Amino acid sequence: MAASLVLAGCGDAGELQSAGPTPTAIGPVRLWPDLPPVTAPPYDYGESDTAQVPGVRVPGGDVHRVDPVAVVQAEVAAHPDEYSGPDGMYQETAGQIRECKREPRRCPVMTPYYRDLTGDGKDELVVGIRMPDQQTGLRVYMPEKGGLTRIMSTVDQVVGVQLAGKDLVVRVVSAGIPGYEYRTAWSWDAQQRTMLPTRDEIIRVKPVPPAPSPTGGGA
């Protein structure tokens, strides 16, 4: 049996000693290798949809100089009757966005964040939008050709968002599995030129309750 070798920590300097048997490598086993190839594309969930934000200019390609409220207002104005899909907006939320300047306290557009998510050396604009039923809209915008391109849009019951390197990690309530949450890492895909959900996890967020102590029987 093969054995791995390490330098001895004591004794004769420079001698090699066995570290014990090396476990045999086990490769992946392909199941059902005779499955036929897929001939039709799967249902389009819209993950790769991008859109140019109409009428918004980005001076010097610097998203820090762009008003995030004006960006979302421009999208609402361009799609006033869409309530689903990447451009969808609750009617109540759309109305509040239109009035953000007059009633800033009711404005659902949250404080923006900035991070280079595409690796081109320029920050992207990350916007959160509060919506009814504990929903949160998340959108990411990339400066491009003097304007702004939306490269991500999703709506869910978000419990937390993290910037991890060049990934946007979204934590979402798990409706069907109490005590767990979904975590999705959205990453830039240079071929599609959009943010795609590249990693999904189901994570336990509440500790397992202790097992009940056994009770003794009566006499």
Side-chain angles (χ1 to χ4, degrees):
M1 182 178 291
S4 59
L5 300 176
V6 296
L7 287 175
C10 58
D12 296 334
E15 288 188 2
L16 298 177
Q17 293 184 354
S18 172
T22 302
T24 303
I26 301 176
V29 178
R30 184 181 178 187
L31 306 184
W32 305 294
D34 56 346
L35 284 174
V38 176
T39 58
Y43 180 78
D44 180 13
Y45 288 96
E47 287 99 338
S48 61
D49 289 342
T50 61
Q52 189 79 15
V53 181
V56 174
R57 308 306 300 169
V58 184
D62 183 2
V63 294
H64 295 259
R65 301 172 64 183
V66 175
D67 180 2
V69 173
V71 171
V72 180
Q73 286 177 332
E75 291 194 304
V76 170
H79 306 278
D81 300 320
E82 292 194 34
Y83 304 108
S84 62
D87 294 306
M89 191 79 67
Y90 285 89
Q91 189 171 5
E92 173 187 343
T93 307
Q96 291 174 338
I97 289 172
R98 294 187 187 100
E99 300 297 322
C100 275
K101 297 301 182 184
R102 295 194 338 179
E103 299 185 48
R105 290 187 177 182
R106 297 183 66 240
C107 183
V109 180
M110 297 186 287
T111 302
Y113 285 86
Y114 304 91
R115 176 68 66 92
D116 178 11
L117 298 173
T118 64
D120 64 355
K122 295 182 179 180
D123 280 347
E124 271 63 56
L125 169 64
V126 183
V127 173
I129 306 169
R130 292 187 299 270
M131 297 186 179
D133 301 324
Q134 299 180 321
Q135 301 278 320
T136 300
L138 297 174
R139 299 187 177 191
V140 176
Y141 303 90
M142 175 181 71
E144 187 176 46
K145 299 177 182 178
L148 209 58
T149 300
R150 189 188 64 224
I151 58 175
M152 173 187 163
S153 178
T154 187
V155 178
D156 217 322
Q157 286 188 316
V158 176
V159 297
V161 183
Q162 297 172 310
L163 288 167
K166 297 187 183 305
D167 289 346
L168 190 69
V169 181
V170 183
R171 298 167 49 208
V172 175
V173 172
S174 170
I177 314 178
Y180 290 77
E181 68 181 28
Y182 296 112
R183 294 184 187 177
T184 302
W186 291 76
S187 309
W188 169 252
D189 186 286
Q191 182 174 349
Q192 296 294 325
R193 296 192 61 77
T194 188
M195 299 280 288
L196 295 178
T198 53
R199 293 189 303 279
D200 282 315
E201 297 179 292
I202 300 178
I203 304 294
R204 182 165 184 86
V205 293
K206 292 183 180 179
V208 178
S213 58
T215 57

